[in-house]
Amino acid sequence: CVIKKNAEKSAALVQQMQYTTDLEKSNVQLNLLSINLYEFLNQKVHDYELEANKKNIELVLKIEKDVPTNVELDKERITRILDNIISNSLQYTPDNGAINITVTSEKNMIFYKICDSGCGFSAKDLKKAFDKFYRGDEARQTQGGHSGLGLYIVKKLLDQINGSIQIENTESGGACVLFSHGIR
C-alpha cells in the first residue's frame, strides 16, 4: 500500500515536471473554444463539492451580472489554472472553513478572486510563490507535500493567454489568489 502510494506520487511528479517543460516551450498554440462561462464555472465548482464536503468547507461561487455568458477562451488552460488554485485552497482551508470564488468582468477581461479561510501566505510566500519548485513552510509540513510547481504552472499558463496573477492575504488572514485573462 505504501509502495503503491509512493509510486503514484512519483508518477504524478514526473507528469507535472513534463507538463512544466512543455509549458516552457515558446511555440504556444492556443485552443480557443466558445463556451458558456456560467455553466463552465458552475461545473468546476461542482467538481470540487465532494472534496469540500469531506472537510465541511463552504464553496461559494459568485458571478457578477456584468460577466458575459458566452465567451471564447482556452478552456483547457483555464481548467488547469482553476484546478491548481482551488485544490490548493481546499488543502489549506481548515474543516468548517470557506472558499469564495468571485468572478467579474470589465471590457474584454474576466477577473477571478479566490479567497479561503486558511492560514494565508507568509511574507516569504508572497515574494516567492510563483518560483519554480518553491514550497512554502506550510506545504513542507503537510502529509505528502507538494512539488512546488502549482502556482508556477498557473503563472506560465496565464502568461500564455496574456493573463496576470497576484496573491495576497485577506484581512482575516486567509489566502487570496486574483487572476485575469482576456476573452473574445
Side-chain angles (χ1 to χ4, degrees), residues 12-178:
L13 178 60
V14 168
Q15 284 180 330
Q16 203 169 26
M17 290 176 72
Q18 178 61 50
Y19 185 75
T20 301
T21 301
D22 292 345
L23 278 177
E24 292 169 342
K25 294 177 182 170
S26 59
N27 58 341
V28 175
Q29 292 289 325
L30 296 182
N31 184 20
L32 298 177
L33 299 172
S34 182
I35 66 164
N36 180 310
L37 190 60
Y38 288 70
E39 288 177 6
F40 170 72
L41 293 172
N42 277 298
Q43 182 60 51
K44 286 308 310 164
V45 169
H46 179 71
D47 292 346
Y48 281 101
E49 285 176 344
L50 181 63
E51 193 174 338
N53 289 340
K54 287 179 187 175
K55 293 175 68 178
N56 200 29
I57 294 173
E58 183 182 20
L59 193 55
V60 178
L61 172 64
K62 181 180 180 187
I63 304 173
E64 298 292 339
K65 292 180 207 163
D66 60 349
V67 175
T69 304
N70 295 306
V71 298
E72 270 192 28
L73 52 75
D74 190 312
K75 185 178 177 182
E76 183 182 326
R77 283 178 172 83
I78 298 301
T79 296
R80 188 76 183 235
I81 290 164
L82 288 168
D83 287 349
N84 277 332
I85 295 170
I86 295 171
S87 63
N88 277 350
S89 285
L90 283 167
Q91 180 168 5
Y92 293 109
T93 300
D95 291 1
N96 304 310
I99 299 171
N100 293 294
I101 304 164
T102 306
V103 184
T104 60
S105 177
E106 189 176 313
K107 297 182 181 173
N108 289 329
M109 296 291 291
I110 302 288
F111 299 90
Y112 304 79
K113 184 175 184 178
I114 302 170
C115 298
D116 62 49
S117 59
C119 58
F121 296 105
S122 70
K124 186 177 177 186
D125 292 344
L126 290 170
K127 291 179 186 167
K128 296 185 169 278
F130 301 111
D131 292 355
K132 193 175 187 179
F133 299 118
Y134 174 75
R135 294 175 5 163
D137 292 336
E138 286 291 318
R140 286 187 201 101
Q141 295 170 9
T142 60
Q143 279 189 332
H146 282 277
S147 63
L149 291 171
L151 286 176
Y152 174 79
I153 287 172
V154 167
K155 173 94 170 78
K156 286 290 183 191
L157 289 168
L158 283 163
D159 288 347
Q160 291 178 351
I161 60 173
N162 296 317
S164 65
I165 186 167
Q166 67 184 57
I167 58 174
E168 62 187 30
N169 289 320
T170 64
E171 287 182 18
S172 58
C176 271
V177 178
L178 301 93

